[in-house]
Amino acid sequence: MKKEFTDEEKVLRLWDVEEVRKVLNRHSYYFSNEQREEELDALWVKEPENQKTAAFGVNTGYYVGMEEIRKFYVDYRRKQRMEVLEKYHEAKGTPLDDEHLGLGCAAMHTATTPLVYIAEDGKTAQFQGYQAGFQSMGKPDGTADSFMELGLIHCDLIREKDGWKIWHLELERDHTFPVGENYAAKEADPSWPDPLSADFGEPTDKRTVYDPFFGWEYMFQDMPRPYETMTDERSYGPEGNLGKPYYIRDPR
């Protein structure tokens, strides 16, 4: 039976929807500004039990637990940017320090078209959106490797003492294509490698979470819906059904 809410409860739940949207909007700004460590400190779960089960997902798997998330999301990204800076150092003697880290690099990531549901028990929330952005890696000769990136965002949030926090975040890469090339001329090919596949790193829990070739087949199953309380199966974390075909989720 669907739960009935008082007018006051409805207003509070509408406010919760706005607060959840704000969390993902802030994520986009932190991500685009390369402030990933600040993001983890400001937006992600703080309570020890939630940190143990926190997860960051990419096409090829999940990083589970805040320690593993930090190693990938902060440390691995820093290593990528340092590799770009090293090329400037070799060519022009640019110092290898934090002040010059990110030289020649630019990125932007959005969280558009939000769909948000607050659990009936008010303890968790689910978010789905779309990320459209770009990534550009400069070179000492003045050129750059620039790519447009498109993909889905799925997120579980949990209410902690100081508000809504990111618990499970999945950034799915749908399309990646070089800037300045005619993407329409490319043939559909399920074996076509993502040119920025190095961004996925080496997940601690390796699996195909999202297949760009067939990804939209799962849209109906993956989108958030009204729910009473969070379960492992429902979640967007590693225990959930995200990306699994319908015949595995419901084998009738």
Side-chain angles (χ1 to χ4, degrees):
M1 181 181 295
K2 185 176 180 180
K3 184 176 180 179
E4 294 295 329
F5 298 100
T6 66
D7 288 345
E8 182 180 359
E9 288 173 329
K10 289 177 181 177
V11 169
L12 292 173
R13 291 173 67 81
L14 285 171
W15 189 254
D16 280 333
V17 170
E18 293 304 310
E19 291 299 308
V20 165
R21 291 176 61 182
K22 287 179 183 177
V23 171
L24 271 299
N25 289 342
R26 290 179 66 193
H27 150 74
S28 292
Y29 280 99
Y30 279 119
F31 189 99
S32 299
N33 290 332
E34 295 288 354
Q35 294 177 295
R36 298 189 177 202
E37 188 161 13
E38 291 87 342
E39 176 190 333
L40 296 186
D41 292 337
L43 303 182
W44 284 69
V45 289
K46 294 291 185 293
E47 296 177 8
E49 287 304 311
N50 295 335
Q51 289 199 336
K52 289 179 184 177
T53 54
F56 183 93
V58 293
N59 287 27
T60 54
Y62 284 97
Y63 295 87
V64 182
M66 289 304 298
E67 183 178 348
E68 290 299 315
I69 293 171
R70 192 175 296 274
K71 286 179 182 178
F72 166 69
Y73 199 56
V74 177
D75 299 342
Y76 181 73
R77 179 59 176 171
R78 178 183 172 81
K79 178 177 177 291
Q80 284 184 303
R81 297 171 76 208
M82 184 58 73
E83 289 173 354
V84 174
L85 182 58
E86 286 172 351
K87 295 176 182 178
Y88 283 92
H89 176 72
E90 293 171 1
K92 299 185 175 183
T94 306
L96 295 173
D97 56 23
D98 287 348
E99 181 179 352
H100 294 84
L101 189 64
L103 179 65
C105 299
M108 187 273 290
H109 159 89
T110 60
T112 66
T113 59
L115 175 59
V116 179
Y117 277 113
I118 308 298
E120 289 191 6
D121 65 11
K123 296 178 180 179
T124 61
Q126 291 197 303
F127 174 100
Q128 181 188 66
Y130 202 75
Q131 53 172 329
F134 74 90
Q135 194 174 155
S136 184
M137 291 75 74
K139 300 177 181 179
D141 63 4
T143 63
D145 292 328
S146 300
F147 297 88
M148 293 294 297
E149 300 175 334
L150 301 171
L152 289 161
I153 303 173
H154 288 98
C155 185
D156 292 326
L157 300 97
I158 191 166
R159 193 195 299 272
E160 294 192 336
K161 293 178 181 178
D162 58 344
W164 290 104
K165 299 294 182 182
I166 294 174
W167 185 19
H168 308 130
L169 178 62
E170 167 70 26
L171 300 183
E172 299 163 10
R173 188 75 62 71
D174 206 9
H175 300 280
T176 306
F177 49 95
V179 172
E181 293 187 13
N182 182 5
Y183 187 59
K186 291 186 177 294
E187 295 183 6
D189 182 357
S191 66
W192 179 55
D194 188 308
L196 296 179
S197 59
D199 286 354
F200 301 145
E202 294 291 333
T204 49
D205 183 352
K206 295 181 182 178
R207 67 174 87 174
T208 300
V209 180
Y210 185 74
D211 181 345
F213 194 70
F214 296 107
W216 286 82
E217 175 187 354
Y218 312 137
M219 174 63 76
F220 178 76
Q221 286 84 12
D222 290 340
M223 66 174 53
R225 290 176 174 79
Y227 65 105
E228 182 175 349
T229 190
M230 181 62 74
T231 62
D232 287 344
E233 186 178 54
R234 165 174 287 282
S235 83
Y236 292 139
E239 305 301 324
N241 279 323
L242 190 65
K244 294 180 182 177
Y246 71 90
Y247 52 84
I248 292 179
R249 304 183 197 214
D250 185 3
R252 289 178 294 177

